[in-house]
């Protein structure tokens, strides 16, 4: 039985064009979110559906204020799941944007000196445990590379156990930097 979504992924990987986007002025993530990130978001959305169902049951029993509190909890869980899916590196002709769970940093291409892949200790799934891996780092004109967190690592939720995906994503971000960085 053919699975068309698998062949579409291979066709995307086989392209020689590093920047295959029609509308280049929009912010784009040059890679797909990893299975760890998508799996956690799916579990959170499943939890939110149960909480929403509980809010409906509570509202039908007549306790509207309690149902409102439970509905608010469900909305917070949904927002957290959606924010978790947005985490990553986004690029556009305007610059490079690193989206975190609570904080977003945007660096215009004029401030970027280099974007490069280095071998260094990286955090495993964002936890305090560090392992040796590769990281995509950003060197800025005003700061350097020492105080900035790594843009991508081989052991984060997008690329854990997928070294080929990390290489393609790092190459795509470096291609954006080479095309739009002045000088």
């Amino acid at each position: 039985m053919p699975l068309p979504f698998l062949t579409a992924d291979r066709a995307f990987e086989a392209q020689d064009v590093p920047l295959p986007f029609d509308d280049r002025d929009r912010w784009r993530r040059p890679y797909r979110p990893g299975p760890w990130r998508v799996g956690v978001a799916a579990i959170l959305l499943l939890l939110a559906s149960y909480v929403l169902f509980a809010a409906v049951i509570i509202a039908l029993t007549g306790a509207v204020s309690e149902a409102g509190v439970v509905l608010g909890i469900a909305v917070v869980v949904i927002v957290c799941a959606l924010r978790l899916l947005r985490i990553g590196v986004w690029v556009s002709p305007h610059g490079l944007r690193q989206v975190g769970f609570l904080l977003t940093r945007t660096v215009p291409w004029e401030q970027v000196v280099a974007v490069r892949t280095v071998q260094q200790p990286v955090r495993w799934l964002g936890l305090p445990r560090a392992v040796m891996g590769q990281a995509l780092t950003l060197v800025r004109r005003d700061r350097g590379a020492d105080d900035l967190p790594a843009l991508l690592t081989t052991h984060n939720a997008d690329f854990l156990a997928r070294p080929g995906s990390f290489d393609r994503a790092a190459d795509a971000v470096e291609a954006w930097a080479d095309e739009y960085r002045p000088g």
Side-chain angles (χ1 to χ4, degrees):
M1 177 173 157
L3 301 173
F5 56 87
L6 293 178
T7 57
D9 191 34
R10 288 190 194 111
F12 176 74
E13 293 171 3
Q15 291 179 352
D16 292 332
V17 181
L19 309 172
F21 299 112
D22 295 332
D23 186 11
R24 296 170 73 85
D25 288 333
R26 292 182 50 199
W27 288 97
R28 300 282 183 178
R29 182 184 356 215
Y31 59 92
R32 293 186 176 103
W36 287 90
R37 187 175 310 284
V38 173
V40 169
I43 290 171
L44 284 175
L45 290 173
L46 181 65
L47 175 68
S49 69
Y50 285 117
V51 174
L52 284 171
F53 186 68
V56 169
I57 299 282
I58 292 171
L60 290 176
T61 62
V64 179
S65 62
E66 288 87 358
V69 170
V70 174
L71 178 67
I73 291 170
V75 168
V76 168
V77 171
I78 291 170
V79 167
C80 288
L82 295 177
R83 187 65 182 176
L84 184 67
L85 289 173
R86 289 198 45 88
I87 292 175
V89 173
W90 296 72
V91 291
S92 82
H94 308 290
L96 185 136
R97 181 173 286 174
Q98 186 175 16
V99 177
F101 192 73
L102 297 175
L103 183 68
T104 299
R105 294 182 188 97
T106 303
V107 179
W109 290 120
E110 292 81 26
Q111 292 183 0
V112 174
V113 174
V115 177
R116 58 179 162 238
T117 305
V118 295
Q119 186 83 16
Q120 69 181 27
V122 296
R123 291 172 38 172
W124 184 77
L125 288 177
L127 298 172
R129 177 179 177 216
V131 296
M132 280 306 288
Q134 291 182 342
L136 185 69
T137 59
L138 173 72
V139 180
R140 291 177 54 171
R141 289 192 199 288
D142 55 348
R143 290 192 185 165
D146 296 334
D147 58 346
L148 294 174
L151 298 174
L152 306 171
T153 68
T154 53
H155 289 81
N156 70 5
D158 289 324
F159 305 110
L160 187 64
R162 296 176 34 199
S165 297
F166 172 80
D167 293 337
R168 284 190 305 275
D171 290 344
V173 173
E174 288 172 358
W176 276 89
D178 290 342
E179 184 170 338
Y180 289 107
R181 190 181 59 220

